[in-house]
């Protein structure tokens, strides 16, 4: 069952999303060569807590930190560490959740660290565009897989690997609710979108192969060929006419 959220619930999720984006903007100013991913995690936790919320990921299935910090070939679930120091030319995905009064927001962005290679810059641009291409299909009457299909069709010509093991998802009182929203597939499948449904749409796109591996820490997921991976995610609510992004401070 996909839950339809009330206006009150959507309001709480919007507030969670605003706290998340404010935290992301703050973290962005700290991304530079020499900072550790552990420092970013500490800054995030402090900021989220100060704004009256809590980090959704901390302790979720035993995850040991407040944010996922996925550098270069890490696709998702990178664990912050004092030993992981960012260097010029890296990319880092900050993926995290905020719990505000029992409702979650979840969003991810891949940032460059200083100047990055041209082909990696293009990967980031195309992955971010893929998110918005998918979102354009988010409207009442469309099917969940119309979003999936739009993302796949847009990304395919670039020859990138579309990660299949992780998908977008419903969200609300739980961080992951029904349905799954894959980043590939045939159109016209799955549930029909209705106003008040809340989803995270999150293409994860690899420069090389689509295949991934989980490292021995049971969290860190890397590309099988160790080429870089990008990830952009927003949480949205389906409206009467389309969608509204909840994980942004800027009004569209
Ligand atoms: Mg998510
Ligand atoms: Mg996320």
């Amino acid at each position: 069952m996909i839950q339809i959220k009330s206006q009150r619930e959507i309001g709480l999720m919007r507030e969670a999303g605003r706290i998340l984006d404010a935290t992301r903007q703050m973290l962005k100013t700290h991304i530079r060569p020499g900072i550790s991913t552990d420092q970013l995690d500490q800054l995030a936790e402090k900021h989220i807590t100060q704004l009256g919320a809590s980090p959704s990921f901390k302790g979720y299935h035993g995850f040991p930190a407040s944010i996922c910090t996925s550098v270069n070939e890490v696709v998702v679930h990178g664990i912050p560490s004092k030993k992981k120091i960012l260097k010029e030319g890296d990319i880092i995905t900050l993926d995290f959740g905020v719990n505000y009064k029992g409702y979650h927001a979840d969003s991810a962005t891949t940032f460059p660290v200083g100047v990055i290679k041209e082909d990696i810059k293009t990967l980031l641009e195309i992955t971010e565009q893929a998110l918005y291409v998918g979102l354009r299909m988010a409207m009442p009457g469309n099917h969940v897989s119309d979003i999936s299909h739009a993302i796949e069709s847009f990304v395919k010509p670039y020859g990138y690997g579309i990660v299949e093991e992780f998908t977008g998802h419903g969200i609300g009182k739980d961080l992951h609710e029904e349905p799954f929203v894959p980043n590939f597939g045939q159109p016209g499948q799955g549930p029909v979108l209705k106003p008040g449904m809340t989803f995270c749409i999150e293409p994860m796109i690899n420069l090389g192969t689509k295949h991934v591996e989980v490292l021995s820490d049971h969290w860190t997921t890397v590309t099988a060929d160790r080429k870089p991976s990008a990830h952009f995610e927003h949480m949205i609510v389906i409206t009467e006419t389309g969608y509204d992004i909840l994980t942004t401070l800027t009004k569209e």
Side-chain angles (χ1 to χ4, degrees), residues 57 95 106-107 167-169 171 175-176 200-202 231 233:
F57 287 11
D95 181 11
D106 179 13
S107 185
T167 68
H169 51 90
I171 182 168
L175 195 52
H176 296 103
C200 291
I201 308 300
E202 47 179 317
H231 181 193
E233 173 183 22

Side-chain angles (χ1 to χ4, degrees), residues 160-163 206-212 223-227:
Y160 296 144
I162 300 173
V163 175
N206 301 341
L207 190 61
T209 178
K210 68 178 181 181
H211 296 292
V212 300
T223 54
D225 58 9
R226 304 302 192 265
K227 287 185 181 171

Side-chain angles (χ1 to χ4, degrees), residues 105-175:
D106 179 13
S107 185
T109 309
T110 304
F111 293 102
V113 181
V115 178
I116 60 174
K117 280 190 193 155
E118 229 21 71
D119 59 340
I120 302 175
K121 201 175 154 201
T122 305
L123 173 72
L124 266 53
E125 287 167 0
I126 296 305
T127 306
E128 184 169 21
Q129 286 174 30
L131 167 60
Y132 290 95
V133 166
L135 289 180
R136 265 185 240 144
M137 301 307 285
M139 65 179 85
N142 275 1
H143 290 259
V144 163
S145 82
D146 293 336
I147 298 171
S148 313
H149 183 70
I151 292 171
E152 181 181 22
S153 307
F154 175 73
V155 171
K156 235 180 182 172
Y158 295 93
Y160 296 144
I162 300 173
V163 175
E164 296 177 357
E165 284 83 348
F166 302 94
T167 68
H169 51 90
I171 182 168
K173 275 187 189 167
D174 290 312
L175 195 52

Side-chain angles (χ1 to χ4, degrees), residues 219-232:
W219 282 108
T220 311
T221 303
V222 299
T223 54
D225 58 9
R226 304 302 192 265
K227 287 185 181 171
S229 180
H231 181 193
F232 286 82

